[in-house]
Amino acid sequence: MGKSSSIAKKNRQRNAGGVMPDPIKIATALIKLFSTLNNRNYKKVNKEKFLVVIIYLWLTQRLTKDKTNDKNAKPADFFIPDCIRVTGSEECQEHAFRTVKDGSHSWAEYAQPYPTKQGEVFLWQPIPKGLNALFRPFISKQRYNTPWLSRSEINLIIEILTKKWRKSTSVIGFPSARKDKLFNYFTNCIQVDNELSSMSKYVLLREHKLHHRNAKAYQSEDSDRIRYRIYQAHERYLEHIFTQVRLFNWEAMLSIKSSNKEQKSELYLINKHRGQSLPDELIEEGRIAQLRKIQYQGGTEERADIPIQIGSSKVLQEHEVTHFFASLHDEIIRSKPVGKVELSQHIEYYNLCTYHLALLFVFLTGVRPTHEISIEKERCYRLSTCAVSDKGRLRQIILCDYFSQQLRHYLSLQRSLSTHLSSSFNSPYLWYLCDPSEQACPLTAKKLKLFMHDRLKNKTPYMLRHTFAQCALTSVYPIRLTTSQIDRLMGHSEYGEHFGSDHLFPANLTTIKQHLNSLASRFDIKEVCYV
């Protein structure tokens, strides 16, 4: 395999919809870690504390290097933080934990950083159900605002993470993942997860780990929705491993023996009761609110914090888009020439229809209006698909049925106008403007921007692309799109994923076409017969 083919293959492997890590290899590597923790050299340490800290660092991807996945980990590569427990009324802070109780439900939460324009903000994230039985009892026993680890304990954890792990005799013959693969397990799962939104990946991954870094700039989600998505994603990744462990009856090997001489016991990573889930009313709408304990004279109560918005601020509201295209529709109807009129009126009306069609093209396909806002005739296929030049590459565009019909109306208008002109009227593009000298004039991004600004102040065609992305993210009816489908619609790709290097299966094409066909009715965009 050549170098370029290898790069293309790696890009496809990291893309949403890729293959999850091998659960047997990850499970075997975890068993090796537990075997090390149970080594007689560590019989005097607080193994429960060590396990909770290591699993927390693993879950939050803090066992990985910043720039590379070097398998030769060194002590300096790991930063073991001072974890603390805080009360339910205190502000969230880095490496903090708390317990929350709602009726008969009790669960643990940790601090999750959220990147915002104002800087990093920490919000509470519930521990996944599969780990709650491990974290909640331990956190409940800790003192408030007191660091869990001493310097010597931090050094011991670094020693455990960096020393050579040996296989348990019970898993001899089973393949095992390298340490770096185990440490990067959640990172790799997040990258290939086709259900996790780009905004959630933006919160969870460092900038250089994001596969499509620009995807986050077009969508917007609030923290309650992201919190729910992260909670469900972590549970999926854990179950990916735990299902395999249960299949081979390896639960006992993922346990640690208590160092308490008075009461010998074992602590299992996979609890038989599988932990306690969050209350149904907290997650039934696909959102998890951040609760805060409010103390007042006579008692306390739990209140939900106002969620913060993460992502694009350039998304146009749906009612704005609906009103804009409705007003354009009315303007076209009013401007339509009737009877014998001057040629200049025909040209003015034709140009108005050209702008209308171009804005529909941007909104209904998500093309970048700063690149190519018309279709070359040679690159349009049966008025259903086309290819446009996008960042120096060809990008396949799927046209919805509504736009295809509008394009037919427009081509009829073009032919009608050409009969009134004294000179030939032609261009390599399907739609273009006509200047006063009766010559074809290319439509530019600047002209389209000025046209829209005159009718919708301080708004640009690029905002329609943001709205297109948001519609794809929030689509539920008639179809819910996967992350890879949204990326494809937006034209986000790396080398090896672009047009000509991949293939869109018919079932996938049908799903995308269903979504695109729903946009016109969703925004009540009416068909306009230009002629």
Side-chain angles (χ1 to χ4, degrees), residues 287-411:
R287 311 169 65 83
I288 299 178
Q290 175 172 275
L291 302 179
R292 183 186 299 272
K293 185 177 289 186
I294 306 297
Q295 296 179 341
Y296 59 93
Q297 189 174 5
T300 62
E301 67 174 347
E302 299 281 356
R303 292 182 185 175
D305 285 348
I306 299 174
I308 64 173
Q309 206 69 25
I310 304 295
S312 173
S313 59
K314 298 179 181 179
V315 176
L316 292 175
Q317 297 298 316
E318 292 200 14
H319 71 272
E320 289 182 290
V321 178
T322 301
H323 176 74
F324 173 65
F325 280 108
S327 63
L328 260 184
H329 173 272
D330 294 341
E331 184 179 353
I332 290 171
I333 299 300
R334 290 194 307 268
S335 304
K336 192 171 184 178
V338 179
K340 292 183 178 181
V341 296
E342 295 292 331
L343 179 59
S344 59
Q345 285 185 261
H346 282 287
I347 293 175
E348 185 178 347
Y349 173 73
Y350 166 80
N351 288 340
L352 174 62
C353 295
T354 302
Y355 284 120
H356 177 247
L357 188 74
L359 289 169
L360 285 174
F361 181 62
V362 173
F363 177 60
L364 297 176
T365 63
V367 296
R368 292 178 175 87
T370 54
H371 286 62
E372 195 163 342
I373 50 180
S374 185
I375 305 172
E376 291 185 46
K377 293 175 181 177
E378 295 180 350
R379 292 178 177 172
C380 187
Y381 316 109
R382 297 181 181 179
L383 300 185
S384 60
T385 60
C386 66
V388 298
S389 179
D390 187 274
K391 290 190 172 181
R393 293 176 179 170
L394 282 181
R395 171 184 165 195
Q396 185 183 20
I397 301 294
I398 302 168
L399 304 178
C400 66
D401 294 340
Y402 169 84
F403 184 81
S404 296
Q405 184 60 33
Q406 281 300 132
L407 185 51
R408 291 187 184 95
H409 289 319
Y410 178 82
L411 294 177

Side-chain angles (χ1 to χ4, degrees), residues 182-201:
L182 173 64
F183 294 162
N184 280 283
Y185 172 71
F186 283 94
T187 299
N188 294 335
C189 287
I190 292 165
Q191 288 176 332
V192 302
D193 193 341
N194 218 4
E195 297 180 44
L196 194 62
S197 68
S198 295
M199 296 314 306
S200 302
K201 294 184 181 188

Side-chain angles (χ1 to χ4, degrees), residues 33-34 37 46-60 63 80-81 83-84 97 108-110 127 131-142 148-149 157 256 267-269:
L33 169 62
F34 275 76
L37 277 172
N46 187 332
K47 294 180 183 178
E48 182 181 9
K49 182 197 297 184
F50 278 31
L51 178 60
V52 166
V53 171
I54 291 173
I55 296 297
Y56 160 67
L57 296 174
W58 181 50
L59 179 70
T60 56
L63 293 180
I80 310 300
C83 301
I84 60 171
F97 292 80
E109 295 183 337
Y110 66 93
I127 288 288
L131 296 177
N132 194 45
L134 171 67
F135 277 77
R136 188 198 57 76
F138 173 79
I139 295 170
S140 298
K141 294 182 290 188
Q142 305 308 305
W148 296 354
L149 300 168
I157 291 177
I256 54 172
L267 185 65
Y268 290 85
L269 178 65

